[in-house]
Amino acid sequence: MPADPLEIRGLTVAYGEVTALAEVDLNVAPGEVLALLGPSGSGKSTLLHTVAGFHPPRAGEVWLNGRCVSCATSSVPPERRELAMVFQNYALWPHLTALDTVSYPARRRGEKRAHARAQAQRILERLNIGHLAERHPAELSGGEQQRVGLARALAREASLYLFDEPTAHLDTHVRGVFLEELVTRQRDTGAAAVYAAHDAEESLGLADRVALLAAGRVIQVGTPQQVYDEPVSQLAAQLTGPSSVLTTTDGGELLVRPEWARLGGDRSARIGDVFFRGPHSDYLLDTTQGRVLLREPGPPRQRRGDEVTWSLRHSWPLRVRPGSGSDAEQRCRTGVKVPVVDDPHVPHGVGT
Ligand code: ADP
């Protein structure tokens, strides 16, 4: 069996007194996309930079394709780690056209000029900048330069890609196209990837597995559906999407995702607020068990103050109670305000 493209064991990284990562264990299987999902400051960039060889770990090991590249006794420099890292911002060469820039990785691999250029043109077209192929960076807008940078990243071939929030500065449409292209190329090449993001929807949509990071620790690893449907704690639930917590009569806590609740049924509530979201509407219900965020397709059917009935199709019992849980849970609980219902103005994810 081939070795995993990436294996991280007991990784601890610090900046002076600040521990940015603590005892992280993770692996990425061949061809797998692992999303790192966590709020700003949770350690995502630090993890990628350490794997790429830019930070020495304080403790632990990094293995790439069965070779230890960061160990107590040895460290392989970044340029010899044979991986591709894609950052939020891209530095383009001012003297090269978009087409030459995107052809460059294939030319470096030794591919013929015509083939490299045809491939590059196809990637530029997928990102809707095919007509800009002959322009230099100075003749491109900031957003267009961004897309050329992404196209160049997609043109590279490596057994492991590290993406550090590559879509952070893209508008929604280009973001969607880039993610589609990324997934297609992933399938075609069989490369593995670690994809850091703070957007839950994006991470859940593209990953084979998701690692949830909070305050430098991994709090849960699972398939997108596992981390969304069965979060290990309220914090894990908040990282993966909007949710509410109901308190049952015996004092237990039940997690409810907005689409697990429906208007109509045997429970009563008053509408605290309604938000039109385009394809669906969000209702904040005041119930005897707490505030519930409920999502229904279509425009609002009720108004604030209306008395309604509702029902639960599904719920998930939370096991971690306040005052228990890991260090990361504790630090996040004390450091971050944890509302009973996510801010409905933040439809997905954790914000920054
Ligand atoms: P993320 O990528 O999830 O936003 P980072 O890896 O950038 O998180 O940061 C993790 C932690 O390390 C944060 O507490 C951050 O403030 C700290 N940190 C990051 N870079 C430095 C640095 N160069 N010096 C000191 N602390 C840093």
Side-chain angles (χ1 to χ4, degrees):
M1 238 176 47
D4 281 345
L6 174 63
E7 193 175 340
I8 295 173
R9 297 182 190 158
L11 191 68
T12 297
V13 182
Y15 300 97
E17 294 293 295
V18 179
T19 302
L21 286 178
E23 294 160 37
V24 168
D25 293 307
L26 276 177
N27 77 301
V28 182
E32 184 179 46
V33 180
L34 177 78
L36 286 181
L37 178 59
S40 193
S42 57
K44 303 183 295 296
S45 291
T46 301
L47 193 145
L48 296 184
H49 282 85
T50 308
V51 171
F54 300 124
H55 288 313
R58 184 159 284 183
E61 296 178 346
V62 177
W63 292 68
L64 294 175
N65 297 309
R67 179 167 72 130
C68 191
V69 293
S70 290
C71 298
T73 51
S74 67
S75 175
V76 174
E79 66 277 11
R80 289 185 33 224
R81 294 202 173 193
E82 292 166 11
L83 43 77
M85 180 140 184
V86 185
F87 298 93
Q88 283 178 23
N89 294 307
Y90 306 90
L92 297 178
W93 295 297
H95 60 290
L96 289 190
T97 63
L99 190 63
D100 287 336
T101 302
V102 182
S103 311
Y104 183 78
R107 294 287 285 152
R108 246 193 103 188
R109 289 196 296 272
E111 288 182 25
K112 292 218 161 53
R113 186 166 184 270
H115 184 248
R117 286 170 77 83
Q119 240 184 359
Q121 183 66 38
R122 195 191 67 76
I123 298 174
L124 289 171
E125 270 157 26
R126 284 284 295 142
L127 295 177
N128 295 330
I129 46 170
H131 58 295
L132 306 175
E134 295 306 328
R135 294 212 193 155
H136 291 85
E139 300 163 312
L140 298 168
S141 73
E144 289 162 353
Q145 289 182 28
Q146 184 87 13
R147 280 185 258 173
V148 174
L150 287 175
R152 182 180 60 191
L154 290 170
R156 292 190 63 173
E157 273 180 12
S159 62
L160 179 67
Y161 285 83
L162 304 177
F163 291 98
D164 192 3
E165 306 211 27
T167 62
H169 305 296
L170 296 180
D171 60 41
T172 314
H173 166 67
V174 178
R175 179 182 285 219
V177 172
F178 169 69
L179 292 173
E180 260 175 47
E181 183 68 15
L182 177 68
V183 169
T184 306
R185 288 190 71 78
Q186 198 80 29
R187 284 204 198 103
D188 291 352
T189 62
V194 184
Y195 190 97
H198 68 264
D199 184 293
E201 203 175 347
E202 187 171 305
S203 304
L204 299 180
L206 109 160
D208 298 304
R209 278 187 310 145
V210 180
L212 302 181
L213 264 188
R217 285 182 189 270
V218 174
I219 60 170
Q220 187 172 6
V221 184
T223 64
Q225 199 166 346
Q226 278 168 345
V227 294
Y228 184 80
D229 287 345
E230 301 172 2
V232 291
S233 64
Q234 189 173 342
L235 175 61
Q238 287 176 329
L239 293 178
T240 44
S243 61
S244 318
V245 177
L246 290 180
T247 309
T248 60
T249 43
D250 58 3
E253 289 182 333
L254 289 182
L255 181 89
V256 179
R257 295 292 190 188
E259 67 283 4
W260 296 350
R262 283 269 175 271
L263 285 176
D266 53 358
R267 296 162 181 254
S268 57
R270 176 190 288 263
I271 306 267
D273 232 324
V274 184
F275 302 92
F276 176 55
R277 305 281 190 209
H280 58 258
S281 298
D282 283 339
Y283 301 83
L284 269 180
L285 302 189
D286 289 320
T287 80
T288 51
Q289 293 178 298
R291 274 206 139 181
V292 180
L293 176 65
L294 178 155
R295 181 162 293 171
E296 291 265 350
R301 290 191 277 134
Q302 305 286 345
R303 284 189 306 199
R304 187 194 301 194
D306 285 354
E307 298 287 344
V308 294
T309 60
W310 67 290
S311 50
L312 263 184
R313 290 193 300 131
H314 181 66
S315 63
W316 171 251
L318 285 174
R319 293 190 185 84
V320 176
R321 304 278 179 270
S324 66
S326 67
D327 287 356
E329 292 276 342
Q330 291 289 357
R331 276 191 281 159
C332 279
R333 279 176 190 283
T334 50
V336 182
K337 187 168 169 267
V338 181
V340 173
V341 175
D342 281 354
D343 181 350
H345 297 283
V346 182
H348 282 285
V350 296
T352 48

